PDB file of all heavy atoms in Angstrom:
ATOM      1  N   THR S 145     -22.583   9.613 -11.806  1.00 95.00           N
ATOM      2  CA  THR S 145     -23.445   8.680 -12.532  1.00 95.00           C
ATOM      3  C   THR S 145     -23.550   9.061 -14.002  1.00 95.00           C
ATOM      4  O   THR S 145     -24.264   8.404 -14.763  1.00 95.00           O
ATOM      5  CB  THR S 145     -24.859   8.642 -11.928  1.00 95.00           C
ATOM      6  OG1 THR S 145     -25.527   9.895 -12.175  1.00 95.00           O
ATOM      7  CG2 THR S 145     -24.812   8.392 -10.430  1.00 95.00           C
ATOM      8  N   SER S 146     -22.860  10.126 -14.417  1.00 95.00           N
ATOM      9  CA  SER S 146     -23.028  10.656 -15.773  1.00 95.00           C
ATOM     10  C   SER S 146     -21.666  10.872 -16.439  1.00 95.00           C
ATOM     11  O   SER S 146     -20.669  11.155 -15.778  1.00 95.00           O
ATOM     12  CB  SER S 146     -23.788  11.986 -15.722  1.00 95.00           C
ATOM     13  OG  SER S 146     -23.805  12.611 -16.992  1.00 95.00           O
ATOM     14  N   ALA S 147     -21.655  10.736 -17.757  1.00 93.00           N
ATOM     15  CA  ALA S 147     -20.454  11.050 -18.553  1.00 93.00           C
ATOM     16  C   ALA S 147     -20.621  12.383 -19.271  1.00 93.00           C
ATOM     17  O   ALA S 147     -19.847  12.704 -20.170  1.00 93.00           O
ATOM     18  CB  ALA S 147     -20.184   9.936 -19.556  1.00 93.00           C
ATOM     19  N   ASP S 148     -21.629  13.161 -18.870  1.00 94.00           N
ATOM     20  CA  ASP S 148     -21.856  14.487 -19.449  1.00 94.00           C
ATOM     21  C   ASP S 148     -21.157  15.509 -18.570  1.00 94.00           C
ATOM     22  O   ASP S 148     -21.649  15.877 -17.506  1.00 94.00           O
ATOM     23  CB  ASP S 148     -23.361  14.770 -19.528  1.00 94.00           C
ATOM     24  CG  ASP S 148     -23.670  16.104 -20.194  1.00 94.00           C
ATOM     25  OD1 ASP S 148     -22.777  16.647 -20.869  1.00 94.00           O
ATOM     26  OD2 ASP S 148     -24.801  16.595 -20.034  1.00 94.00           O
ATOM     27  N   PHE S 149     -19.978  15.951 -18.996  1.00 95.00           N
ATOM     28  CA  PHE S 149     -19.159  16.838 -18.202  1.00 95.00           C
ATOM     29  C   PHE S 149     -19.298  18.267 -18.715  1.00 95.00           C
ATOM     30  O   PHE S 149     -18.694  18.645 -19.719  1.00 95.00           O
ATOM     31  CB  PHE S 149     -17.681  16.434 -18.286  1.00 95.00           C
ATOM     32  CG  PHE S 149     -17.333  15.131 -17.627  1.00 95.00           C
ATOM     33  CD1 PHE S 149     -16.037  14.643 -17.688  1.00 95.00           C
ATOM     34  CD2 PHE S 149     -18.275  14.387 -16.950  1.00 95.00           C
ATOM     35  CE1 PHE S 149     -15.697  13.446 -17.081  1.00 95.00           C
ATOM     36  CE2 PHE S 149     -17.958  13.182 -16.343  1.00 95.00           C
ATOM     37  CZ  PHE S 149     -16.657  12.709 -16.401  1.00 95.00           C
ATOM     38  N   ARG S 150     -20.081  19.063 -18.021  1.00 94.00           N
ATOM     39  CA  ARG S 150     -20.220  20.459 -18.398  1.00 94.00           C
ATOM     40  C   ARG S 150     -20.569  21.278 -17.160  1.00 94.00           C
ATOM     41  O   ARG S 150     -21.182  20.788 -16.210  1.00 94.00           O
ATOM     42  CB  ARG S 150     -21.284  20.651 -19.482  1.00 94.00           C
ATOM     43  CG  ARG S 150     -22.698  20.227 -19.087  1.00 94.00           C
ATOM     44  CD  ARG S 150     -23.658  20.352 -20.267  1.00 94.00           C
ATOM     45  NE  ARG S 150     -23.293  19.424 -21.332  1.00 94.00           N
ATOM     46  CZ  ARG S 150     -22.889  19.818 -22.562  1.00 94.00           C
ATOM     47  NH1 ARG S 150     -22.820  21.102 -22.864  1.00 94.00           N
ATOM     48  NH2 ARG S 150     -22.587  18.928 -23.476  1.00 94.00           N
ATOM     49  N   GLY S 151     -20.139  22.531 -17.161  1.00 93.00           N
ATOM     50  CA  GLY S 151     -20.415  23.394 -16.021  1.00 93.00           C
ATOM     51  C   GLY S 151     -20.417  24.851 -16.440  1.00 93.00           C
ATOM     52  O   GLY S 151     -19.976  25.209 -17.534  1.00 93.00           O
ATOM     53  N   GLU S 152     -20.921  25.677 -15.542  1.00 94.00           N
ATOM     54  CA  GLU S 152     -20.995  27.113 -15.806  1.00 94.00           C
ATOM     55  C   GLU S 152     -20.877  27.847 -14.483  1.00 94.00           C
ATOM     56  O   GLU S 152     -21.420  27.420 -13.458  1.00 94.00           O
ATOM     57  CB  GLU S 152     -22.318  27.457 -16.487  1.00 94.00           C
ATOM     58  CG  GLU S 152     -22.497  28.927 -16.818  1.00 94.00           C
ATOM     59  CD  GLU S 152     -23.831  29.204 -17.497  1.00 94.00           C
ATOM     60  OE1 GLU S 152     -23.986  28.853 -18.671  1.00 94.00           O
ATOM     61  OE2 GLU S 152     -24.719  29.754 -16.815  1.00 94.00           O
ATOM     62  N   THR S 153     -20.149  28.952 -14.494  1.00 94.00           N
ATOM     63  CA  THR S 153     -20.036  29.772 -13.297  1.00 94.00           C
ATOM     64  C   THR S 153     -19.908  31.229 -13.711  1.00 94.00           C
ATOM     65  O   THR S 153     -19.530  31.531 -14.847  1.00 94.00           O
ATOM     66  CB  THR S 153     -18.824  29.345 -12.441  1.00 94.00           C
ATOM     67  OG1 THR S 153     -18.894  29.967 -11.163  1.00 94.00           O
ATOM     68  CG2 THR S 153     -17.509  29.741 -13.108  1.00 94.00           C
ATOM     69  N   VAL S 154     -20.268  32.120 -12.805  1.00 95.00           N
ATOM     70  CA  VAL S 154     -20.120  33.550 -13.043  1.00 95.00           C
ATOM     71  C   VAL S 154     -19.051  34.080 -12.098  1.00 95.00           C
ATOM     72  O   VAL S 154     -19.096  33.854 -10.885  1.00 95.00           O
ATOM     73  CB  VAL S 154     -21.441  34.301 -12.828  1.00 95.00           C
ATOM     74  CG1 VAL S 154     -21.220  35.810 -12.947  1.00 95.00           C
ATOM     75  CG2 VAL S 154     -22.494  33.841 -13.831  1.00 95.00           C
ATOM     76  N   ILE S 155     -18.067  34.777 -12.669  1.00 95.00           N
ATOM     77  CA  ILE S 155     -16.946  35.331 -11.909  1.00 95.00           C
ATOM     78  C   ILE S 155     -17.084  36.846 -11.878  1.00 95.00           C
ATOM     79  O   ILE S 155     -17.278  37.481 -12.923  1.00 95.00           O
ATOM     80  CB  ILE S 155     -15.610  34.928 -12.559  1.00 95.00           C
ATOM     81  CG1 ILE S 155     -15.480  33.398 -12.588  1.00 95.00           C
ATOM     82  CG2 ILE S 155     -14.439  35.550 -11.820  1.00 95.00           C
ATOM     83  CD1 ILE S 155     -14.294  32.896 -13.370  1.00 95.00           C
ATOM     84  N   ASP S 156     -17.003  37.403 -10.708  1.00 95.00           N
ATOM     85  CA  ASP S 156     -17.190  38.849 -10.548  1.00 95.00           C
ATOM     86  C   ASP S 156     -15.915  39.592 -10.938  1.00 95.00           C
ATOM     87  O   ASP S 156     -15.193  40.140 -10.085  1.00 95.00           O
ATOM     88  CB  ASP S 156     -17.592  39.169  -9.111  1.00 95.00           C
ATOM     89  CG  ASP S 156     -18.042  40.619  -8.952  1.00 95.00           C
ATOM     90  OD1 ASP S 156     -18.111  41.340  -9.966  1.00 95.00           O
ATOM     91  OD2 ASP S 156     -18.328  41.032  -7.808  1.00 95.00           O
ATOM     92  N   ALA S 157     -15.641  39.592 -12.238  1.00 96.00           N
ATOM     93  CA  ALA S 157     -14.479  40.288 -12.800  1.00 96.00           C
ATOM     94  C   ALA S 157     -14.713  40.431 -14.297  1.00 96.00           C
ATOM     95  O   ALA S 157     -15.435  39.623 -14.903  1.00 96.00           O
ATOM     96  CB  ALA S 157     -13.194  39.500 -12.537  1.00 96.00           C
ATOM     97  N   PRO S 158     -14.128  41.437 -14.928  1.00 96.00           N
ATOM     98  CA  PRO S 158     -14.319  41.634 -16.370  1.00 96.00           C
ATOM     99  C   PRO S 158     -13.743  40.476 -17.191  1.00 96.00           C
ATOM    100  O   PRO S 158     -12.786  39.821 -16.777  1.00 96.00           O
ATOM    101  CB  PRO S 158     -13.544  42.931 -16.655  1.00 96.00           C
ATOM    102  CG  PRO S 158     -13.422  43.611 -15.334  1.00 96.00           C
ATOM    103  CD  PRO S 158     -13.329  42.518 -14.320  1.00 96.00           C
ATOM    104  N   VAL S 159     -14.331  40.264 -18.353  1.00 97.00           N
ATOM    105  CA  VAL S 159     -13.911  39.179 -19.235  1.00 97.00           C
ATOM    106  C   VAL S 159     -12.416  39.259 -19.549  1.00 97.00           C
ATOM    107  O   VAL S 159     -11.706  38.243 -19.529  1.00 97.00           O
ATOM    108  CB  VAL S 159     -14.739  39.200 -20.545  1.00 97.00           C
ATOM    109  CG1 VAL S 159     -14.119  38.276 -21.589  1.00 97.00           C
ATOM    110  CG2 VAL S 159     -16.174  38.791 -20.268  1.00 97.00           C
ATOM    111  N   GLU S 160     -11.937  40.460 -19.836  1.00 96.00           N
ATOM    112  CA  GLU S 160     -10.531  40.612 -20.220  1.00 96.00           C
ATOM    113  C   GLU S 160      -9.593  40.119 -19.117  1.00 96.00           C
ATOM    114  O   GLU S 160      -8.570  39.481 -19.394  1.00 96.00           O
ATOM    115  CB  GLU S 160     -10.218  42.068 -20.555  1.00 96.00           C
ATOM    116  CG  GLU S 160     -10.942  42.612 -21.783  1.00 96.00           C
ATOM    117  CD  GLU S 160     -12.412  42.951 -21.512  1.00 96.00           C
ATOM    118  OE1 GLU S 160     -12.801  42.962 -20.311  1.00 96.00           O
ATOM    119  OE2 GLU S 160     -13.151  43.183 -22.476  1.00 96.00           O
ATOM    120  N   GLN S 161      -9.929  40.403 -17.865  1.00 96.00           N
ATOM    121  CA  GLN S 161      -9.082  39.984 -16.754  1.00 96.00           C
ATOM    122  C   GLN S 161      -9.123  38.465 -16.584  1.00 96.00           C
ATOM    123  O   GLN S 161      -8.089  37.826 -16.338  1.00 96.00           O
ATOM    124  CB  GLN S 161      -9.527  40.664 -15.461  1.00 96.00           C
ATOM    125  CG  GLN S 161      -9.250  42.162 -15.419  1.00 96.00           C
ATOM    126  CD  GLN S 161      -9.665  42.782 -14.097  1.00 96.00           C
ATOM    127  OE1 GLN S 161      -9.921  42.083 -13.117  1.00 96.00           O
ATOM    128  NE2 GLN S 161      -9.740  44.110 -14.061  1.00 96.00           N
ATOM    129  N   VAL S 162     -10.311  37.898 -16.691  1.00 96.00           N
ATOM    130  CA  VAL S 162     -10.435  36.451 -16.525  1.00 96.00           C
ATOM    131  C   VAL S 162      -9.697  35.724 -17.646  1.00 96.00           C
ATOM    132  O   VAL S 162      -8.945  34.770 -17.411  1.00 96.00           O
ATOM    133  CB  VAL S 162     -11.915  36.024 -16.488  1.00 96.00           C
ATOM    134  CG1 VAL S 162     -12.029  34.495 -16.418  1.00 96.00           C
ATOM    135  CG2 VAL S 162     -12.616  36.660 -15.288  1.00 96.00           C
ATOM    136  N   PHE S 163      -9.872  36.189 -18.873  1.00 97.00           N
ATOM    137  CA  PHE S 163      -9.196  35.536 -19.994  1.00 97.00           C
ATOM    138  C   PHE S 163      -7.684  35.618 -19.832  1.00 97.00           C
ATOM    139  O   PHE S 163      -6.967  34.631 -20.051  1.00 97.00           O
ATOM    140  CB  PHE S 163      -9.610  36.169 -21.320  1.00 97.00           C
ATOM    141  CG  PHE S 163      -9.017  35.472 -22.517  1.00 97.00           C
ATOM    142  CD1 PHE S 163      -9.608  34.324 -23.024  1.00 97.00           C
ATOM    143  CD2 PHE S 163      -7.868  35.953 -23.124  1.00 97.00           C
ATOM    144  CE1 PHE S 163      -9.057  33.669 -24.108  1.00 97.00           C
ATOM    145  CE2 PHE S 163      -7.305  35.301 -24.212  1.00 97.00           C
ATOM    146  CZ  PHE S 163      -7.910  34.149 -24.706  1.00 97.00           C
ATOM    147  N   ASP S 164      -7.188  36.766 -19.410  1.00 96.00           N
ATOM    148  CA  ASP S 164      -5.750  36.937 -19.219  1.00 96.00           C
ATOM    149  C   ASP S 164      -5.221  35.950 -18.195  1.00 96.00           C
ATOM    150  O   ASP S 164      -4.127  35.391 -18.355  1.00 96.00           O
ATOM    151  CB  ASP S 164      -5.456  38.376 -18.788  1.00 96.00           C
ATOM    152  CG  ASP S 164      -3.966  38.647 -18.665  1.00 96.00           C
ATOM    153  OD1 ASP S 164      -3.226  38.359 -19.620  1.00 96.00           O
ATOM    154  OD2 ASP S 164      -3.538  39.140 -17.606  1.00 96.00           O
ATOM    155  N   SER S 165      -5.992  35.683 -17.152  1.00 95.00           N
ATOM    156  CA  SER S 165      -5.539  34.742 -16.124  1.00 95.00           C
ATOM    157  C   SER S 165      -5.588  33.296 -16.603  1.00 95.00           C
ATOM    158  O   SER S 165      -4.974  32.419 -15.989  1.00 95.00           O
ATOM    159  CB  SER S 165      -6.388  34.902 -14.853  1.00 95.00           C
ATOM    160  OG  SER S 165      -7.722  34.495 -15.067  1.00 95.00           O
ATOM    161  N   LEU S 166      -6.286  33.045 -17.701  1.00 95.00           N
ATOM    162  CA  LEU S 166      -6.332  31.700 -18.271  1.00 95.00           C
ATOM    163  C   LEU S 166      -5.157  31.425 -19.192  1.00 95.00           C
ATOM    164  O   LEU S 166      -4.763  30.259 -19.368  1.00 95.00           O
ATOM    165  CB  LEU S 166      -7.635  31.488 -19.062  1.00 95.00           C
ATOM    166  CG  LEU S 166      -8.944  31.500 -18.291  1.00 95.00           C
ATOM    167  CD1 LEU S 166     -10.115  31.321 -19.245  1.00 95.00           C
ATOM    168  CD2 LEU S 166      -8.954  30.405 -17.239  1.00 95.00           C
ATOM    169  N   VAL S 167      -4.592  32.448 -19.797  1.00 95.00           N
ATOM    170  CA  VAL S 167      -3.557  32.232 -20.818  1.00 95.00           C
ATOM    171  C   VAL S 167      -2.167  32.691 -20.383  1.00 95.00           C
ATOM    172  O   VAL S 167      -1.195  32.419 -21.083  1.00 95.00           O
ATOM    173  CB  VAL S 167      -3.937  32.930 -22.144  1.00 95.00           C
ATOM    174  CG1 VAL S 167      -5.252  32.380 -22.676  1.00 95.00           C
ATOM    175  CG2 VAL S 167      -4.020  34.441 -21.976  1.00 95.00           C
ATOM    176  N   ASP S 168      -2.058  33.391 -19.270  1.00 95.00           N
ATOM    177  CA  ASP S 168      -0.769  33.848 -18.762  1.00 95.00           C
ATOM    178  C   ASP S 168      -0.217  32.794 -17.792  1.00 95.00           C
ATOM    179  O   ASP S 168      -0.852  32.465 -16.792  1.00 95.00           O
ATOM    180  CB  ASP S 168      -0.937  35.194 -18.053  1.00 95.00           C
ATOM    181  CG  ASP S 168       0.379  35.738 -17.525  1.00 95.00           C
ATOM    182  OD1 ASP S 168       0.818  35.289 -16.446  1.00 95.00           O
ATOM    183  OD2 ASP S 168       0.967  36.600 -18.204  1.00 95.00           O
ATOM    184  N   SER S 169       0.961  32.273 -18.086  1.00 95.00           N
ATOM    185  CA  SER S 169       1.523  31.178 -17.288  1.00 95.00           C
ATOM    186  C   SER S 169       1.654  31.540 -15.815  1.00 95.00           C
ATOM    187  O   SER S 169       1.294  30.743 -14.927  1.00 95.00           O
ATOM    188  CB  SER S 169       2.892  30.773 -17.835  1.00 95.00           C
ATOM    189  OG  SER S 169       2.788  30.240 -19.130  1.00 95.00           O
ATOM    190  N   ASP S 170       2.176  32.726 -15.504  1.00 94.00           N
ATOM    191  CA  ASP S 170       2.385  33.114 -14.111  1.00 94.00           C
ATOM    192  C   ASP S 170       1.060  33.234 -13.363  1.00 94.00           C
ATOM    193  O   ASP S 170       0.939  32.766 -12.221  1.00 94.00           O
ATOM    194  CB  ASP S 170       3.151  34.436 -14.038  1.00 94.00           C
ATOM    195  CG  ASP S 170       4.598  34.307 -14.500  1.00 94.00           C
ATOM    196  OD1 ASP S 170       5.114  33.175 -14.505  1.00 94.00           O
ATOM    197  OD2 ASP S 170       5.192  35.337 -14.871  1.00 94.00           O
ATOM    198  N   LYS S 171       0.077  33.865 -13.998  1.00 94.00           N
ATOM    199  CA  LYS S 171      -1.222  34.026 -13.339  1.00 94.00           C
ATOM    200  C   LYS S 171      -1.934  32.692 -13.188  1.00 94.00           C
ATOM    201  O   LYS S 171      -2.534  32.404 -12.144  1.00 94.00           O
ATOM    202  CB  LYS S 171      -2.074  35.021 -14.107  1.00 94.00           C
ATOM    203  CG  LYS S 171      -1.513  36.442 -14.069  1.00 94.00           C
ATOM    204  CD  LYS S 171      -2.313  37.403 -14.915  1.00 94.00           C
ATOM    205  CE  LYS S 171      -1.685  38.805 -14.878  1.00 94.00           C
ATOM    206  NZ  LYS S 171      -2.407  39.756 -15.745  1.00 94.00           N
ATOM    207  N   ALA S 172      -1.870  31.850 -14.224  1.00 93.00           N
ATOM    208  CA  ALA S 172      -2.506  30.537 -14.142  1.00 93.00           C
ATOM    209  C   ALA S 172      -1.855  29.691 -13.050  1.00 93.00           C
ATOM    210  O   ALA S 172      -2.540  28.984 -12.299  1.00 93.00           O
ATOM    211  CB  ALA S 172      -2.432  29.825 -15.481  1.00 93.00           C
ATOM    212  N   SER S 173      -0.535  29.759 -12.941  1.00 92.00           N
ATOM    213  CA  SER S 173       0.161  29.015 -11.893  1.00 92.00           C
ATOM    214  C   SER S 173      -0.261  29.498 -10.514  1.00 92.00           C
ATOM    215  O   SER S 173      -0.375  28.706  -9.567  1.00 92.00           O
ATOM    216  CB  SER S 173       1.680  29.172 -12.052  1.00 92.00           C
ATOM    217  OG  SER S 173       2.125  28.648 -13.286  1.00 92.00           O
ATOM    218  N   ASP S 174      -0.508  30.804 -10.389  1.00 90.00           N
ATOM    219  CA  ASP S 174      -0.902  31.397  -9.116  1.00 90.00           C
ATOM    220  C   ASP S 174      -2.261  30.866  -8.664  1.00 90.00           C
ATOM    221  O   ASP S 174      -2.409  30.351  -7.552  1.00 90.00           O
ATOM    222  CB  ASP S 174      -0.923  32.919  -9.245  1.00 90.00           C
ATOM    223  CG  ASP S 174      -1.029  33.623  -7.903  1.00 90.00           C
ATOM    224  OD1 ASP S 174      -0.900  32.946  -6.863  1.00 90.00           O
ATOM    225  OD2 ASP S 174      -1.247  34.840  -7.893  1.00 90.00           O
ATOM    226  N   TRP S 175      -3.270  30.977  -9.545  1.00 89.00           N
ATOM    227  CA  TRP S 175      -4.593  30.535  -9.095  1.00 89.00           C
ATOM    228  C   TRP S 175      -4.736  29.020  -9.101  1.00 89.00           C
ATOM    229  O   TRP S 175      -5.503  28.451  -8.325  1.00 89.00           O
ATOM    230  CB  TRP S 175      -5.717  31.201  -9.898  1.00 89.00           C
ATOM    231  CG  TRP S 175      -5.781  30.930 -11.376  1.00 89.00           C
ATOM    232  CD1 TRP S 175      -5.334  31.746 -12.367  1.00 89.00           C
ATOM    233  CD2 TRP S 175      -6.384  29.810 -12.035  1.00 89.00           C
ATOM    234  NE1 TRP S 175      -5.591  31.195 -13.603  1.00 89.00           N
ATOM    235  CE2 TRP S 175      -6.241  30.021 -13.432  1.00 89.00           C
ATOM    236  CE3 TRP S 175      -7.028  28.666 -11.585  1.00 89.00           C
ATOM    237  CZ2 TRP S 175      -6.712  29.106 -14.379  1.00 89.00           C
ATOM    238  CZ3 TRP S 175      -7.504  27.746 -12.521  1.00 89.00           C
ATOM    239  CH2 TRP S 175      -7.335  27.970 -13.901  1.00 89.00           C
ATOM    240  N   PHE S 176      -3.993  28.340  -9.963  1.00 85.00           N
ATOM    241  CA  PHE S 176      -4.066  26.890 -10.018  1.00 85.00           C
ATOM    242  C   PHE S 176      -3.412  26.263  -8.798  1.00 85.00           C
ATOM    243  O   PHE S 176      -3.745  25.149  -8.399  1.00 85.00           O
ATOM    244  CB  PHE S 176      -3.378  26.386 -11.294  1.00 85.00           C
ATOM    245  CG  PHE S 176      -4.012  25.173 -11.899  1.00 85.00           C
ATOM    246  CD1 PHE S 176      -4.889  25.290 -12.961  1.00 85.00           C
ATOM    247  CD2 PHE S 176      -3.730  23.907 -11.417  1.00 85.00           C
ATOM    248  CE1 PHE S 176      -5.475  24.177 -13.525  1.00 85.00           C
ATOM    249  CE2 PHE S 176      -4.303  22.785 -11.978  1.00 85.00           C
ATOM    250  CZ  PHE S 176      -5.178  22.916 -13.030  1.00 85.00           C
ATOM    251  N   GLY S 177      -2.431  26.978  -8.202  1.00 81.00           N
ATOM    252  CA  GLY S 177      -1.713  26.438  -7.055  1.00 81.00           C
ATOM    253  C   GLY S 177      -0.671  25.419  -7.456  1.00 81.00           C
ATOM    254  O   GLY S 177      -0.219  24.617  -6.620  1.00 81.00           O
ATOM    255  N   PHE S 178      -0.267  25.435  -8.740  1.00 83.00           N
ATOM    256  CA  PHE S 178       0.657  24.448  -9.283  1.00 83.00           C
ATOM    257  C   PHE S 178       1.261  25.057 -10.543  1.00 83.00           C
ATOM    258  O   PHE S 178       0.562  25.760 -11.270  1.00 83.00           O
ATOM    259  CB  PHE S 178      -0.114  23.168  -9.614  1.00 83.00           C
ATOM    260  CG  PHE S 178       0.732  22.007 -10.033  1.00 83.00           C
ATOM    261  CD1 PHE S 178       1.476  21.306  -9.097  1.00 83.00           C
ATOM    262  CD2 PHE S 178       0.767  21.595 -11.361  1.00 83.00           C
ATOM    263  CE1 PHE S 178       2.246  20.222  -9.478  1.00 83.00           C
ATOM    264  CE2 PHE S 178       1.536  20.515 -11.752  1.00 83.00           C
ATOM    265  CZ  PHE S 178       2.286  19.823 -10.801  1.00 83.00           C
ATOM    266  N   PRO S 179       2.546  24.814 -10.821  1.00 90.00           N
ATOM    267  CA  PRO S 179       3.126  25.411 -12.022  1.00 90.00           C
ATOM    268  C   PRO S 179       2.394  24.988 -13.304  1.00 90.00           C
ATOM    269  O   PRO S 179       2.122  23.807 -13.517  1.00 90.00           O
ATOM    270  CB  PRO S 179       4.567  24.883 -12.018  1.00 90.00           C
ATOM    271  CG  PRO S 179       4.845  24.538 -10.595  1.00 90.00           C
ATOM    272  CD  PRO S 179       3.535  24.055 -10.035  1.00 90.00           C
TER     273      PRO S 179
END
Side-chain angles (χ1 to χ4, degrees):
T145 69
S146 172
D148 183 17
F149 292 177
R150 61 185 65 244
E152 180 180 287
T153 192
V154 174
I155 300 172
D156 190 4
V159 168
E160 295 77 11
Q161 290 182 14
V162 176
F163 184 82
D164 184 52
S165 67
L166 295 178
V167 300
D168 181 280
S169 295
D170 291 340
K171 294 176 182 177
S173 298
D174 192 10
W175 62 260
F176 214 99
F178 187 74

